[in-house]
Protein backbone atom coordinates (compact mmCIF):
# COMPACT_ATOMS: atom_id res chain seq x y z
CA UNK A 1 0.00 0.00 0.00
CA UNK A 2 2.82 2.38 0.90
CA UNK A 3 4.66 1.73 -2.35
CA UNK A 4 1.50 2.38 -4.32
CA UNK A 5 0.96 5.70 -2.54
CA UNK A 6 4.58 6.71 -3.05
CA UNK A 7 4.31 5.86 -6.74
CA UNK A 8 1.13 7.96 -6.88
CA UNK A 9 3.05 10.87 -5.35
CA UNK A 10 5.73 10.71 -8.06
CA UNK A 11 3.14 10.37 -10.81
CA UNK A 12 1.36 13.48 -9.52
CA UNK A 13 4.66 15.38 -9.58
CA UNK A 14 5.28 14.24 -13.14
CA UNK A 15 1.79 15.28 -14.21
CA UNK A 16 2.14 18.70 -12.63
CA UNK A 17 5.57 19.20 -14.16
CA UNK A 18 4.29 18.55 -17.66
CA UNK A 19 1.02 20.35 -17.07
CA UNK A 20 2.59 23.52 -15.72
CA UNK A 21 5.82 23.86 -17.73
CA UNK A 22 5.29 25.25 -21.19
CA UNK A 23 7.52 26.84 -23.71
CA UNK A 24 7.28 30.64 -23.86
CA UNK A 25 5.97 30.57 -27.44
CA UNK A 26 3.40 27.92 -26.52
CA UNK A 27 2.14 30.14 -23.71
CA UNK A 28 2.04 33.05 -26.18
CA UNK A 29 -0.04 31.01 -28.62
CA UNK A 30 -2.45 29.58 -26.04
CA UNK A 31 -3.31 32.85 -24.34
CA UNK A 32 -6.90 33.85 -24.93
CA UNK A 33 -6.14 36.79 -27.17
CA UNK A 34 -8.96 38.62 -28.82
CA UNK A 35 -8.75 37.41 -32.43
CA UNK A 36 -9.89 40.77 -33.73
CA UNK A 37 -7.02 42.49 -31.92
CA UNK A 38 -4.45 40.01 -33.20
CA UNK A 39 -5.65 40.25 -36.79
CA UNK A 40 -5.57 44.04 -36.53
CA UNK A 41 -1.97 44.01 -35.25
CA UNK A 42 -0.84 41.76 -38.10
CA UNK A 43 -2.53 44.10 -40.60
CA UNK A 44 -0.89 47.16 -39.02
CA UNK A 45 2.58 45.58 -39.12
CA UNK A 46 2.07 44.58 -42.76
CA UNK A 47 0.86 48.09 -43.63
CA UNK A 48 3.91 49.61 -41.93
CA UNK A 49 6.24 47.37 -43.91
CA UNK A 50 4.50 48.09 -47.23
CA UNK A 51 4.62 51.86 -46.71
CA UNK A 52 8.31 52.08 -45.79
CA UNK A 53 9.43 52.64 -49.38
CA UNK A 54 6.26 54.51 -50.38
CA UNK A 55 5.26 56.80 -47.51
CA UNK A 56 7.50 56.39 -44.43
CA UNK A 57 5.41 58.81 -42.35
CA UNK A 58 2.42 56.49 -42.69
CA UNK A 59 4.73 53.58 -41.94
CA UNK A 60 5.55 55.20 -38.57
CA UNK A 61 1.85 55.71 -37.78
CA UNK A 62 1.00 52.08 -38.53
CA UNK A 63 3.95 50.76 -36.50
CA UNK A 64 3.13 52.94 -33.48
CA UNK A 65 -0.48 51.79 -33.52
CA UNK A 66 0.65 48.15 -33.79
CA UNK A 67 2.96 48.67 -30.81
CA UNK A 68 0.14 50.09 -28.67
CA UNK A 69 -2.21 47.24 -29.60
CA UNK A 70 0.53 44.66 -28.87
CA UNK A 71 1.01 46.08 -25.39
CA UNK A 72 -2.73 45.95 -24.73
CA UNK A 73 -2.84 42.19 -25.32
CA UNK A 74 0.62 41.66 -23.77
CA UNK A 75 2.09 40.00 -26.86
CA UNK A 76 5.87 40.24 -26.65
CA UNK A 77 6.25 38.75 -30.14
CA UNK A 78 4.11 41.38 -31.85
CA UNK A 79 5.62 44.09 -29.66
CA UNK A 80 9.07 43.08 -30.90
CA UNK A 81 7.92 43.12 -34.53
CA UNK A 82 6.28 46.53 -34.08
CA UNK A 83 9.45 47.97 -32.53
CA UNK A 84 11.59 46.75 -35.42
CA UNK A 85 9.20 48.15 -38.04
CA UNK A 86 8.98 51.45 -36.19
CA UNK A 87 12.77 51.66 -35.82
CA UNK A 88 13.30 51.21 -39.55
CA UNK A 89 10.59 53.71 -40.51
CA UNK A 90 12.16 56.29 -38.18
CA UNK A 91 15.53 55.62 -39.82
CA UNK A 92 14.03 56.24 -43.28
CA UNK A 93 12.60 59.60 -42.17
CA UNK A 94 15.92 60.63 -40.63
CA UNK A 95 14.84 60.49 -36.98
CA UNK A 96 18.00 58.64 -36.02
CA UNK A 97 18.03 59.23 -32.25
CA UNK A 98 14.56 57.84 -31.65
CA UNK A 99 15.05 55.18 -34.32
CA UNK A 100 18.16 53.93 -32.51
CA UNK A 101 16.38 53.89 -29.14
CA UNK A 102 13.42 51.94 -30.54
CA UNK A 103 15.67 49.51 -32.44
CA UNK A 104 17.70 48.74 -29.31
CA UNK A 105 14.45 47.95 -27.50
CA UNK A 106 13.49 45.65 -30.37
CA UNK A 107 16.88 43.92 -30.14
CA UNK A 108 16.51 43.31 -26.38
CA UNK A 109 13.03 41.89 -26.81
CA UNK A 110 14.07 39.68 -29.76
CA UNK A 111 16.97 38.30 -27.70
CA UNK A 112 14.60 37.62 -24.80
CA UNK A 113 12.30 35.68 -27.16
CA UNK A 114 15.30 34.06 -28.88
CA UNK A 115 13.83 35.17 -32.23
CA UNK A 116 16.65 35.14 -34.81
CA UNK A 117 14.72 37.06 -37.47
CA UNK A 118 13.84 39.73 -34.92
CA UNK A 119 17.48 40.02 -33.81
CA UNK A 120 18.62 40.36 -37.44
CA UNK A 121 16.00 43.00 -38.16
CA UNK A 122 17.13 45.03 -35.15
CA UNK A 123 20.81 44.66 -36.14
CA UNK A 124 19.95 45.89 -39.64
CA UNK A 125 18.19 48.98 -38.24
CA UNK A 126 21.03 49.78 -35.83
CA UNK A 127 23.72 49.29 -38.49
CA UNK A 128 21.94 51.59 -40.95
CA UNK A 129 21.41 54.30 -38.33
CA UNK A 130 25.05 54.19 -37.20
CA UNK A 131 26.12 54.51 -40.83
CA UNK A 132 23.94 57.58 -41.43
CA UNK A 133 25.27 59.12 -38.22
CA UNK A 134 28.83 58.60 -39.46
CA UNK A 135 29.60 56.01 -36.78
CA UNK A 136 31.14 53.51 -39.19
CA UNK A 137 32.91 51.53 -36.46
CA UNK A 138 29.59 50.94 -34.70
CA UNK A 139 27.82 50.16 -37.98
CA UNK A 140 30.42 47.62 -39.12
CA UNK A 141 30.61 45.96 -35.68
CA UNK A 142 26.81 45.59 -35.54
CA UNK A 143 26.53 44.30 -39.10
CA UNK A 144 29.32 41.78 -38.51
CA UNK A 145 27.32 40.42 -35.56
CA UNK A 146 24.36 40.07 -37.91
CA UNK A 147 26.55 38.35 -40.50
CA UNK A 148 27.78 35.87 -37.88
CA UNK A 149 24.20 35.04 -36.89
CA UNK A 150 23.24 34.60 -40.55
CA UNK A 151 26.06 32.10 -41.03
CA UNK A 152 25.31 30.21 -37.79
CA UNK A 153 21.62 29.81 -38.63
CA UNK A 154 22.21 29.40 -42.39
CA UNK A 155 19.90 32.31 -43.20
CA UNK A 156 19.88 34.73 -46.11
CA UNK A 157 20.30 38.47 -45.50
CA UNK A 158 21.35 40.27 -48.68
CA UNK A 159 20.22 43.64 -47.25
CA UNK A 160 22.55 43.26 -44.25
CA UNK A 161 25.48 42.09 -46.38
CA UNK A 162 25.02 44.93 -48.90
CA UNK A 163 24.89 47.54 -46.10
CA UNK A 164 28.11 46.07 -44.72
CA UNK A 165 29.61 46.38 -48.21
CA UNK A 166 28.62 50.02 -48.63
CA UNK A 167 30.08 50.81 -45.17
CA UNK A 168 33.41 49.39 -46.31
CA UNK A 169 33.15 51.36 -49.58
CA UNK A 170 32.50 54.63 -47.75
CA UNK A 171 35.47 54.02 -45.44
CA UNK A 172 37.84 53.37 -48.35
CA UNK A 173 38.09 49.57 -47.88
CA UNK A 174 37.38 48.78 -51.51
CA UNK A 175 38.44 45.11 -51.51
CA UNK A 176 36.02 44.27 -48.71
CA UNK A 177 33.32 46.38 -50.38
CA UNK A 178 33.68 44.35 -53.59
CA UNK A 179 33.51 41.07 -51.67
CA UNK A 180 30.39 41.85 -49.66
CA UNK A 181 28.47 43.65 -52.41
CA UNK A 182 29.06 40.72 -54.77
CA UNK A 183 27.96 38.30 -52.03
CA UNK A 184 24.81 40.35 -51.48
CA UNK A 185 24.10 40.38 -55.22
CA UNK A 186 24.46 36.58 -55.50
CA UNK A 187 22.26 36.03 -52.45
CA UNK A 188 19.54 38.35 -53.74
CA UNK A 189 19.44 36.53 -57.07
CA UNK A 190 19.35 33.13 -55.35
CA UNK A 191 16.44 33.95 -53.05
CA UNK A 192 14.79 36.50 -55.39
CA UNK A 193 15.10 39.22 -52.76
CA UNK A 194 13.02 42.39 -52.93
CA UNK A 195 16.22 44.29 -52.01
CA UNK A 196 17.75 43.85 -55.48
CA UNK A 197 17.10 47.46 -56.52
CA UNK A 198 19.15 49.01 -53.70
CA UNK A 199 21.86 46.39 -54.27
CA UNK A 200 22.06 47.51 -57.92
CA UNK A 201 22.37 51.06 -56.63
CA UNK A 202 25.25 50.17 -54.32
CA UNK A 203 27.00 48.18 -57.02
CA UNK A 204 26.71 51.31 -59.16
CA UNK A 205 28.31 53.34 -56.35
CA UNK A 206 31.14 50.80 -56.24
CA UNK A 207 31.80 50.97 -59.98
CA UNK A 208 31.58 54.77 -59.89
CA UNK A 209 34.23 54.74 -57.15
CA UNK A 210 36.38 52.47 -59.33
CA UNK A 211 35.78 54.89 -62.25
CA UNK A 212 34.01 52.19 -64.31
CA UNK A 213 31.41 54.70 -65.50
CA UNK A 214 29.60 52.58 -68.16
CA UNK A 215 29.16 49.71 -65.69
CA UNK A 216 28.02 52.13 -62.96
CA UNK A 217 25.40 53.56 -65.32
CA UNK A 218 24.20 50.06 -66.17
CA UNK A 219 23.74 49.15 -62.52
CA UNK A 220 21.85 52.39 -61.80
CA UNK A 221 19.54 51.75 -64.78
CA UNK A 222 18.90 48.21 -63.57
CA UNK A 223 18.06 49.71 -60.18
CA UNK A 224 15.59 52.08 -61.82
CA UNK A 225 13.96 49.25 -63.79
CA UNK A 226 13.49 46.91 -60.82
CA UNK A 227 12.30 49.70 -58.50
CA UNK A 228 9.78 50.86 -61.12
CA UNK A 229 8.54 47.33 -61.70
CA UNK A 230 8.05 46.71 -57.97
CA UNK A 231 6.80 50.24 -57.18
CA UNK A 232 9.62 50.78 -54.68
CA UNK A 233 9.65 54.57 -54.88
CA UNK A 234 12.33 55.11 -52.25
CA UNK A 235 14.80 52.93 -54.16
CA UNK A 236 13.71 54.62 -57.40
CA UNK A 237 14.51 58.01 -55.86
CA UNK A 238 17.93 56.70 -54.77
CA UNK A 239 18.79 55.47 -58.27
CA UNK A 240 17.59 58.66 -59.99
CA UNK A 241 19.70 60.71 -57.57
CA UNK A 242 22.75 58.51 -58.23
CA UNK A 243 22.31 58.92 -61.99
CA UNK A 244 21.98 62.70 -61.60
CA UNK A 245 25.12 62.88 -59.46
CA UNK A 246 27.12 60.68 -61.83
CA UNK A 247 26.12 62.69 -64.91
CA UNK A 248 26.93 65.92 -63.08
CA UNK A 249 30.41 64.64 -62.23
CA UNK A 250 30.85 63.65 -65.88
CA UNK A 251 29.92 67.17 -67.01
CA UNK A 252 26.76 65.89 -68.72
CA UNK A 253 24.63 68.64 -67.26
CA UNK A 254 21.46 68.13 -69.30
CA UNK A 255 21.18 64.46 -68.25
CA UNK A 256 21.99 65.41 -64.67
CA UNK A 257 19.08 67.89 -64.65
CA UNK A 258 16.64 65.30 -66.07
CA UNK A 259 17.35 62.67 -63.41
CA UNK A 260 17.55 65.17 -60.54
CA UNK A 261 14.11 66.48 -61.44
CA UNK A 262 12.78 62.89 -61.52
CA UNK A 263 14.22 62.31 -58.05
CA UNK A 264 12.50 65.46 -56.76
CA UNK A 265 9.15 64.52 -58.32
CA UNK A 266 9.20 61.17 -56.48
CA UNK A 267 10.80 62.26 -53.21
CA UNK A 268 8.96 65.51 -52.60
CA UNK A 269 7.08 65.46 -49.26
CA UNK A 270 8.19 61.83 -48.67
CA UNK A 271 11.95 61.31 -48.96
CA UNK A 272 13.21 64.72 -47.93
CA UNK A 273 16.90 63.89 -47.58
CA UNK A 274 17.11 62.58 -51.15
CA UNK A 275 15.00 65.49 -52.41
CA UNK A 276 17.34 67.98 -50.75
CA UNK A 277 20.38 66.34 -52.38
CA UNK A 278 18.63 66.38 -55.76
CA UNK A 279 17.84 70.10 -55.36
CA UNK A 280 21.53 70.79 -54.64
CA UNK A 281 22.54 68.84 -57.79
CA UNK A 282 20.04 70.90 -59.82
CA UNK A 283 21.33 74.16 -58.35
CA UNK A 284 24.93 73.21 -59.20
CA UNK A 285 23.92 72.07 -62.69
CA UNK A 286 22.15 75.32 -63.52
CA UNK A 287 25.10 77.20 -62.06
CA UNK A 288 27.34 75.47 -64.60
CA UNK A 289 24.92 76.53 -67.34
CA UNK A 290 25.02 80.13 -66.02
CA UNK A 291 21.25 80.07 -65.42
CA UNK A 292 21.25 82.05 -62.18
CA UNK A 293 17.46 82.15 -61.73
CA UNK A 294 17.11 78.37 -61.81
CA UNK A 295 20.26 77.99 -59.74
CA UNK A 296 18.81 80.25 -57.04
CA UNK A 297 15.40 78.56 -57.26
CA UNK A 298 16.75 75.10 -56.43
CA UNK A 299 19.17 76.45 -53.87
CA UNK A 300 16.21 77.99 -52.06
CA UNK A 301 14.36 74.69 -52.39
CA UNK A 302 17.29 72.89 -50.76
CA UNK A 303 17.30 75.44 -47.92
CA UNK A 304 13.52 75.12 -47.48
CA UNK A 305 13.77 71.34 -47.32
CA UNK A 306 16.55 71.65 -44.75
CA UNK A 307 14.27 73.83 -42.61
CA UNK A 308 11.41 71.33 -43.12
CA UNK A 309 13.63 68.47 -41.96
CA UNK A 310 14.53 70.47 -38.85
CA UNK A 311 10.87 71.35 -38.21
CA UNK A 312 9.90 67.71 -38.72
CA UNK A 313 12.46 66.71 -36.10
CA UNK A 314 10.94 69.15 -33.62
CA UNK A 315 7.42 68.00 -34.49
CA UNK A 316 8.58 64.41 -34.22
CA UNK A 317 9.87 65.07 -30.72
CA UNK A 318 6.44 66.40 -29.74
CA UNK A 319 4.74 63.37 -31.31
CA UNK A 320 7.24 61.15 -29.53
CA UNK A 321 6.32 62.70 -26.17
CA UNK A 322 2.63 62.15 -26.88
CA UNK A 323 3.30 58.56 -27.93
CA UNK A 324 5.43 57.91 -24.83
CA UNK A 325 2.59 59.30 -22.72
CA UNK A 326 0.15 56.84 -24.31
CA UNK A 327 2.60 54.02 -23.69
CA UNK A 328 3.04 55.08 -20.08
CA UNK A 329 -0.72 55.07 -19.51
CA UNK A 330 -0.93 51.53 -20.89
CA UNK A 331 1.98 50.42 -18.70
CA UNK A 332 0.38 52.00 -15.61
CA UNK A 333 -2.87 50.17 -16.36
CA UNK A 334 -0.95 46.91 -16.85
CA UNK A 335 0.87 47.45 -13.54
CA UNK A 336 -2.45 47.90 -11.73
CA UNK A 337 -3.74 44.65 -13.24
CA UNK A 338 -0.50 42.87 -12.30
CA UNK A 339 -0.65 44.09 -8.70
CA UNK A 340 -4.30 43.04 -8.45
CA UNK A 341 -3.43 39.57 -9.75
CA UNK A 342 -0.48 39.37 -7.36
CA UNK A 343 -2.71 40.29 -4.41
CA UNK A 344 -5.23 37.66 -5.49
CA UNK A 345 -2.48 35.03 -5.71
CA UNK A 346 -1.13 36.00 -2.30
CA UNK A 347 -4.61 35.67 -0.80
CA UNK A 348 -4.98 32.25 -2.41
CA UNK A 349 -1.59 31.13 -1.09
CA UNK A 350 -2.57 32.37 2.37
CA UNK A 351 -5.88 30.52 2.17
CA UNK A 352 -4.10 27.33 1.12
CA UNK A 353 -1.56 27.67 3.95
CA UNK A 354 -4.35 28.27 6.52
CA UNK A 355 -6.31 25.31 5.15
CA UNK A 356 -3.21 23.13 5.39
CA UNK A 357 -2.58 24.17 9.00
CA UNK A 358 -6.24 23.55 9.90
CA UNK A 359 -6.04 20.15 8.24
CA UNK A 360 -2.97 19.22 10.30
CA UNK A 361 -4.64 20.47 13.53
CA UNK A 362 -7.82 18.57 12.71
CA UNK A 363 -5.73 15.49 11.97
CA UNK A 364 -3.94 15.78 15.32
CA UNK A 365 -7.20 16.28 17.23
CA UNK A 366 -8.87 13.43 15.41
CA UNK A 367 -5.92 11.11 16.07
CA UNK A 368 -6.42 11.66 19.84
CA UNK A 369 -10.08 10.80 19.69
CA UNK A 370 -11.47 7.36 20.42
CA UNK A 371 -13.15 7.21 16.99
CA UNK A 372 -9.85 7.06 15.03
CA UNK A 373 -8.35 3.72 14.08
CA UNK A 374 -4.95 2.73 12.70
CA UNK A 375 -6.04 2.57 9.05
CA UNK A 376 -7.74 5.99 9.14
CA UNK A 377 -4.76 7.72 10.75
CA UNK A 378 -2.33 6.12 8.29
CA UNK A 379 -4.49 7.23 5.36
CA UNK A 380 -4.71 10.79 6.66
CA UNK A 381 -0.93 10.84 7.16
CA UNK A 382 -0.34 9.94 3.51
CA UNK A 383 -2.99 12.43 2.40
CA UNK A 384 -1.33 15.23 4.36
CA UNK A 385 1.99 14.35 2.75
CA UNK A 386 0.45 14.65 -0.71
CA UNK A 387 -1.12 18.00 0.19
CA UNK A 388 2.22 19.31 1.49
CA UNK A 389 3.94 18.21 -1.72
CA UNK A 390 1.33 19.95 -3.86
CA UNK A 391 1.69 23.12 -1.80
CA UNK A 392 5.50 23.07 -2.24
CA UNK A 393 5.02 22.45 -5.96
CA UNK A 394 2.63 25.40 -6.22
CA UNK A 395 5.00 27.75 -4.40
CA UNK A 396 8.17 26.76 -6.24
CA UNK A 397 6.82 26.43 -9.78
CA UNK A 398 6.98 30.13 -10.81
CA UNK A 399 10.57 30.44 -9.61
CA UNK A 400 11.67 27.11 -11.10
CA UNK A 401 9.97 27.98 -14.40
CA UNK A 402 11.97 31.19 -14.71
CA UNK A 403 15.17 29.46 -13.61
CA UNK A 404 15.03 26.66 -16.20
CA UNK A 405 13.10 28.65 -18.87
CA UNK A 406 10.12 26.29 -18.60
CA UNK A 407 12.10 23.33 -19.93
CA UNK A 408 9.83 20.25 -19.51
CA UNK A 409 12.77 17.89 -18.91
CA UNK A 410 14.37 20.08 -16.26
CA UNK A 411 11.05 20.80 -14.57
CA UNK A 412 10.29 17.08 -14.50
CA UNK A 413 13.70 16.28 -13.03
CA UNK A 414 13.38 18.89 -10.27
CA UNK A 415 9.87 17.84 -9.27
CA UNK A 416 10.87 14.16 -9.15
CA UNK A 417 13.86 15.16 -7.00
CA UNK A 418 11.55 16.98 -4.58
CA UNK A 419 9.25 13.95 -4.46
CA UNK A 420 12.20 11.63 -3.84
CA UNK A 421 13.29 13.81 -0.90
CA UNK A 422 9.80 13.80 0.60
CA UNK A 423 9.42 10.01 0.47
CA UNK A 424 12.32 9.16 2.88
CA UNK A 425 11.25 12.13 5.00
CA UNK A 426 7.83 10.55 5.17
CA UNK A 427 9.36 7.26 6.32
CA UNK A 428 11.23 9.05 9.12
CA UNK A 429 8.17 10.98 10.23
CA UNK A 430 5.75 8.13 9.78
CA UNK A 431 6.53 6.71 13.21
CA UNK A 432 5.70 10.05 14.81
CA UNK A 433 2.75 10.76 12.53
CA UNK A 434 1.08 7.38 12.81
CA UNK A 435 2.52 4.90 15.28
CA UNK A 436 2.94 7.37 18.15
CA UNK A 437 -0.47 8.84 17.57
CA UNK A 438 -2.03 5.38 17.25
CA UNK A 439 -0.36 4.42 20.53
CA UNK A 440 -1.80 7.49 22.23
CA UNK A 441 -5.16 6.76 20.68
CA UNK A 442 -5.06 3.20 22.03
CA UNK A 443 -4.30 4.58 25.51
CA UNK A 444 -7.29 6.88 25.23
CA UNK A 445 -9.51 4.00 24.19
CA UNK A 446 -8.08 1.79 26.96
CA UNK A 447 -8.73 4.50 29.54
CA UNK A 448 -12.26 4.83 28.23
CA UNK A 449 -12.72 1.06 28.47
CA UNK A 450 -11.46 1.04 32.09
CA UNK A 451 -13.97 3.71 33.00
CA UNK A 452 -16.74 1.63 31.46
CA UNK A 453 -15.61 -1.46 33.39
CA UNK A 454 -15.43 0.50 36.66
CA UNK A 455 -18.93 1.82 36.09
CA UNK A 456 -20.19 -1.70 35.39
CA UNK A 457 -18.37 -2.99 38.55
CA UNK A 458 -20.20 -0.47 40.66
Amino acid sequence: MRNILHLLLILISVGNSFGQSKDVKEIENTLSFNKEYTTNIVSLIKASSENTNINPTKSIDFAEEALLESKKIKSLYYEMQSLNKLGFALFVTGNYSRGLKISLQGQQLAEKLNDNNGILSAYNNIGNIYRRQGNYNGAIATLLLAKKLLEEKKLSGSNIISTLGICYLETGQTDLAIKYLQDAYQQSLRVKSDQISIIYNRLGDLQSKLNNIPLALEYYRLGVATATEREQYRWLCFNYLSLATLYFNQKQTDSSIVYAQKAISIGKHKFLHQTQKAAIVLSDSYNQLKQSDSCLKYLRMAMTIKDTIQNNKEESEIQNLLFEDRLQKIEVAEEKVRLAEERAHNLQYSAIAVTLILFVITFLIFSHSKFANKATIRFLGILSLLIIFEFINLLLHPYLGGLVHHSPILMLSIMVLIASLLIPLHHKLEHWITEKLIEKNNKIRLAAAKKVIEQIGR
Side-chain angles (χ1 to χ4, degrees), residues 311-360:
N311 292 336
N312 286 350
K313 286 182 179 179
E314 294 174 359
E315 184 180 345
S316 178
E317 289 300 322
I318 296 172
Q319 293 297 325
N320 184 35
L321 290 173
L322 294 173
F323 181 74
E324 292 292 337
D325 181 62
R326 291 178 68 187
L327 278 180
Q328 188 176 11
K329 287 179 180 177
I330 291 175
E331 289 171 357
V332 168
E334 288 178 349
E335 182 65 13
K336 288 181 179 178
V337 172
R338 187 191 67 80
L339 290 174
E341 290 176 350
E342 188 176 325
R343 283 195 296 271
H345 287 159
N346 289 337
L347 288 173
Q348 291 175 27
Y349 285 138
S350 300
I352 292 171
V354 170
T355 303
L356 183 59
I357 293 170
L358 290 175
F359 177 82
V360 172

Side-chain angles (χ1 to χ4, degrees), residues 113 168 175 236 294-295:
L113 296 172
Y168 282 126
D175 291 341
L236 186 58
S294 296
C295 173

Side-chain angles (χ1 to χ4, degrees), residues 396-414:
L396 293 182
H397 182 267
Y399 306 102
L400 293 177
L403 183 65
V404 301
H405 304 291
H406 296 276
S407 169
I409 294 176
L410 292 176
M411 289 290 292
L412 170 63
S413 301
I414 293 172

Side-chain angles (χ1 to χ4, degrees), residues 185 196-204 219-220 222-223 226 239:
Y185 176 65
I196 188 65
S197 179
I198 191 60
I199 292 174
Y200 280 138
N201 181 266
R202 288 170 174 175
L203 285 169
Y219 277 128
Y220 290 144
L222 286 170
T226 53
N239 282 286

Side-chain angles (χ1 to χ4, degrees), residues 87-195:
F88 191 75
L90 288 166
F91 153 71
V92 171
T93 58
N95 192 342
Y96 302 136
S97 57
R98 187 183 173 212
L100 182 59
K101 177 184 174 183
I102 292 292
S103 298
L104 288 170
Q105 291 175 7
Q107 178 192 342
Q108 291 174 356
L109 201 49
E111 289 173 346
K112 180 178 179 180
L113 296 172
N114 197 27
D115 189 299
N116 293 321
N117 288 326
I119 295 170
L120 290 170
S121 180
Y123 278 155
N124 181 58
N125 292 353
I126 295 166
N128 275 296
I129 291 171
Y130 279 152
R131 175 194 164 216
R132 287 290 177 84
Q133 290 178 327
N135 181 5
Y136 285 101
N137 289 335
I140 291 172
T142 303
L143 294 169
L144 285 174
L145 287 174
K147 174 179 171 291
K148 181 181 178 182
L149 183 58
L150 287 170
E151 292 171 349
E152 287 176 353
K153 304 301 179 181
K154 295 180 170 51
L155 299 172
S156 176
S158 57
N159 56 330
I160 291 172
I161 302 302
S162 73
T163 304
L164 184 57
I166 203 67
C167 284
Y168 282 126
L169 180 65
E170 291 170 350
T171 54
Q173 302 177 68
T174 310
D175 291 341
L176 287 172
I178 293 172
K179 177 184 183 303
Y180 286 115
L181 287 173
Q182 286 295 335
D183 286 348
Y185 176 65
Q186 294 299 326
Q187 278 191 33
S188 65
L189 291 180
R190 187 167 60 252
V191 301
K192 297 181 180 179
S193 169
D194 60 356
Q195 302 289 319

